[in-house]
Amino acid sequence: MDKKQPKTVKRTTLIWSIIIALLVGGGIAYGVAYVQTRAVISQAETTTASMQKIQAVYETIENNYYKPVSSKKVTNGAIKGMISSLDDPFSEYMNETEATSLNNQISSSFSGIGAEVQKSGQYIKIISPIKGTPAKKAGLQPEDIITAVNGKSIAGKSVTEAVKLMRGKIGTKVTLTVKRNEKSFTQTLTRAKIPVNTVNSRVINKKIGYIQITSVSEHTASELKTALKRLDKKGVKSYVLDVRDNPGGLMDQALKMSSMFLKNGKTIMRVQAKTGQQQVYKAGKKYDGGYKVTKPVAVLMNGGSASAAEIFAGALHQSADAPLIGTQSYGKGTVQTVSDFKDKSEMKITIAKWLTPNGSWINKKGLTPTYKADYPKYAYLQLMNTKKTYKLGDVSSQIKTLQKELKALGYFEDKANGYFGKTTQTAVKSYQQKNKLEATGTTNAKTIISVETKLQAQIAKNDEALKKAESILK
């Protein structure tokens, strides 16, 4: 945005569904459409009644409270209280440590578990696990609610506070208590360095270029252009652009990416200020450097596609007639600005809406697919607890999940009822024998991990959204 700010400290403008990362070096994830500008907050005195009241409360505490208090703590508490009263999960006050974590996150210092989150009621919700990270490998899903970290409840904690509990050195473990569809389970993950590469590509169906964009970070537009040129040399005739489970990222990158597929002058997005005034961003050489894609494209999206990924998908759909295939996207349509205080703390506050090219505000609604297609139902089964052993005679919801997984893999034919009976034991033994595991008929961690790994491979083979895209482009 070109909005003037006093004493502006320039930094890249962002639309950031910040990739969590629950980071060692610092990770905060908010799932926000995030236009960032910088301003040193003017702390000039004001004589308004409201400020006089705040000042009176502060002085009363400082002069009359029965024991010494930290003026910094009281001030920070007041600021957090005011921002909290907005009831906006994307507005937040960050102290110096928290601000440093955010800045490290923005500069792609990724190391952690790899899941983008936002505040949800008393807890935090996963917006999207990132491909190739511990969170994705562990099977965490969009809409999962994290209620505790290492056995400690995070009820009432801010995203920043919750993330602090999840940080740690690469290689160390963190145990999350996760709630999915009213059921809770624990999952232990090993922190790792989060992949920096955000674009993966290959040729499918001989003449279709498949490009997966996992997030939108500093080099994504460049990576995308490289992938497009590489596939073009291989003679592809069309492209599938996959932004499923893409939590978003930098606005400038989303603009550059979108502009490659749009004719000059076509609208990419709009930003609407509090006054109702709109700033329109249009495709052109300013963003794409003159590089254009004219071959047919189709975009894959789902509930984990948020913010900058939605800007990209919405622009291609509404300004380039690209079909959207999958399920409803996440729906993140507000704009934040981050301001610096002199003590190096920061305040992030929502200042505007962003709209699709036709002026739609998709906040909490998402983009609607042209063609609805999804992974098979078993792709959304909750993870099993690998710390437990399941055997003949046991009854639990975890066993019901096991039965559904084995059924999807072709080993179990009965109705999944949660009872570990003879038929379940036989199915487990059969699976273990075929997959060179000790055939005990008892399900331990090794068997569970093997089953869920096989299931992930089968899910990829039964990707109905990708199949639909291929049929359209053929």
Side-chain angles (χ1 to χ4, degrees):
M1 291 178 67
D2 295 327
K3 183 178 179 180
K4 293 183 179 179
Q5 299 281 350
K7 300 182 181 178
T8 300
V9 180
K10 292 290 186 181
R11 195 200 279 177
T12 306
T13 301
L14 311 172
I15 289 263
W16 189 254
S17 260
I18 296 177
I19 305 167
I20 190 164
L22 308 179
L23 301 184
V24 177
I28 309 176
Y30 300 95
V32 300
Y34 179 31
V35 171
Q36 178 178 345
T37 57
R38 287 303 203 181
V40 178
I41 298 296
S42 172
Q43 299 187 23
E45 294 182 2
T46 175
T47 58
T48 65
S50 295
M51 292 306 296
Q52 287 177 344
K53 185 176 182 180
I54 292 172
Q55 181 68 22
V57 171
Y58 177 86
E59 290 178 355
T60 299
I61 292 173
E62 188 176 50
N63 296 328
N64 301 324
Y65 190 64
Y66 80 103
K67 62 181 181 180
V69 294
S70 165
S71 60
K72 185 175 182 179
K73 184 176 181 181
V74 173
T75 300
N76 289 348
I79 296 171
K80 287 184 177 182
M82 285 189 284
I83 295 175
S84 177
S85 71
L86 300 174
D87 195 25
D88 176 6
F90 309 115
S91 294
E92 187 171 11
Y93 170 75
M94 297 164 281
N95 60 32
E96 181 179 355
T97 301
E98 295 163 345
T100 299
S101 295
L102 172 60
N103 295 332
N104 287 340
Q105 178 68 31
I106 291 170
S107 63
S108 300
S109 300
F110 302 145
S111 53
I113 69 164
E116 187 261 341
V117 303
Q118 73 167 60
K119 186 73 174 175
S120 179
Q122 289 290 299
Y123 302 105
I124 59 174
K125 176 172 67 178
I126 292 178
I127 301 303
S128 179
I130 302 165
K131 181 179 174 63
T133 64
K136 186 68 174 179
K137 291 176 181 178
L140 296 184
Q141 298 176 8
E143 302 299 322
D144 282 350
I145 303 295
I146 299 175
T147 61
V149 180
N150 292 329
K152 295 181 180 180
S153 173
I154 59 172
K157 294 186 181 296
S158 67
V159 172
T160 301
E161 292 169 330
V163 167
K164 273 186 176 181
L165 296 176
M166 293 182 250
R167 293 177 189 162
K169 295 181 179 179
I170 293 174
T172 59
K173 296 183 182 298
V174 60
T175 299
L176 307 180
T177 302
V178 181
K179 185 176 181 182
R180 181 185 299 165
N181 298 327
E182 304 306 318
K183 294 181 181 179
S184 293
F185 59 95
T186 60
Q187 190 71 18
T188 300
L189 298 87
T190 302
R191 299 179 181 95
K193 188 172 181 63
I194 306 304
V196 175
N197 183 47
T198 62
V199 177
N200 303 298
S201 63
R202 67 179 189 272
V203 177
I204 58 176
N205 253 332
K206 296 182 180 180
K207 293 296 182 180
I208 298 175
Y210 171 81
I211 299 177
Q212 181 187 50
I213 307 168
T214 57
S215 63
V216 186
S217 62
E218 291 180 353
H219 305 293
T220 301
S222 176
E223 289 179 38
L224 176 59
K225 183 186 288 188
T226 298
L228 288 164
K229 288 183 175 180
R230 183 185 303 119
L231 291 171
D232 191 51
K233 288 181 179 179
K234 293 182 178 181
V236 301
K237 302 298 182 182
S238 57
Y239 297 102
V240 174
L241 304 171
D242 190 347
V243 294
R244 289 176 295 181
D245 296 325
N246 182 323
L250 309 181
M251 178 181 173
D252 68 330
Q253 296 295 303
L255 293 171
K256 290 177 181 179
M257 292 160 57
S258 301
S259 188
M260 294 180 200
F261 298 88
L262 273 56
K263 292 180 180 179
N264 288 344
K266 287 285 188 176
T267 299
I268 300 173
M269 65 175 291
R270 304 167 185 266
V271 173
Q272 181 174 306
K274 183 178 182 179
T275 60
Q277 183 178 357
Q278 292 185 13
Q279 180 171 353
V280 182
Y281 294 83
K282 297 184 177 183
K285 192 172 182 179
K286 171 183 177 181
Y287 297 120
D288 57 44
Y291 178 79
K292 293 291 186 182
V293 176
T294 57
K295 296 175 182 178
V297 300
V299 181
L300 305 184
M301 66 179 192
N302 65 3
S305 306
S307 193
E310 291 176 295
I311 290 172
F312 180 63
L316 268 62
H317 178 56
Q318 294 182 9
S319 292
D321 296 322
L324 301 179
I325 303 167
T327 57
Q328 204 79 8
S329 67
Y330 178 74
K332 179 67 196 74
T334 55
V335 174
Q336 284 71 38
T337 185
V338 173
S339 302
D340 297 329
F341 289 95
K342 291 179 179 179
D343 63 358
K344 296 184 180 180
S345 61
E346 297 177 357
M347 178 177 69
K348 178 168 65 68
I349 187 169
T350 300
I351 59 168
K353 302 175 181 179
W354 73 260
L355 312 174
T356 60
N358 68 10
S360 297
W361 190 38
I362 65 166
N363 199 54
K364 297 183 180 179
K365 299 175 184 176
L367 295 164
T368 300
T370 313
Y371 302 96
K372 189 173 182 179
D374 199 1
Y375 292 113
K377 289 183 179 180
Y378 53 78
Y380 300 101
L381 291 173
Q382 76 173 63
L383 297 172
M384 293 188 65
N385 188 343
T386 56
K387 291 184 177 180
K388 291 186 177 181
T389 298
Y390 306 93
K391 61 185 184 303
L392 189 67
D394 288 348
V395 180
S396 73
S397 60
Q398 293 276 287
I399 294 170
K400 189 174 183 177
T401 297
L402 172 65
Q403 291 168 333
K404 289 180 178 179
E405 291 178 340
L406 290 170
K407 191 168 189 174
L409 293 172
Y411 293 90
F412 184 76
E413 296 181 357
D414 288 355
K415 182 179 179 180
N417 58 11
Y419 172 63
F420 202 120
K422 288 287 186 180
T423 54
T424 303
Q425 184 184 53
T426 299
V428 171
K429 275 187 177 181
S430 177
Y431 178 86
Q432 290 170 330
Q433 289 170 344
K434 190 167 183 179
N435 290 277
K436 299 180 181 180
L437 298 169
E438 185 179 0
T440 61
T442 297
T443 307
N444 55 17
K446 196 170 183 178
T447 298
I448 292 170
I449 292 171
S450 176
V451 167
E452 293 184 341
T453 300
K454 290 283 186 183
L455 199 62
Q456 286 297 319
Q458 182 161 306
I459 289 168
K461 290 180 181 179
N462 291 278
D463 188 343
E464 295 303 320
L466 180 56
K467 289 179 181 178
K468 182 65 177 179
E470 290 179 43
S471 68
I472 291 171
L473 293 173
K474 284 173 66 178

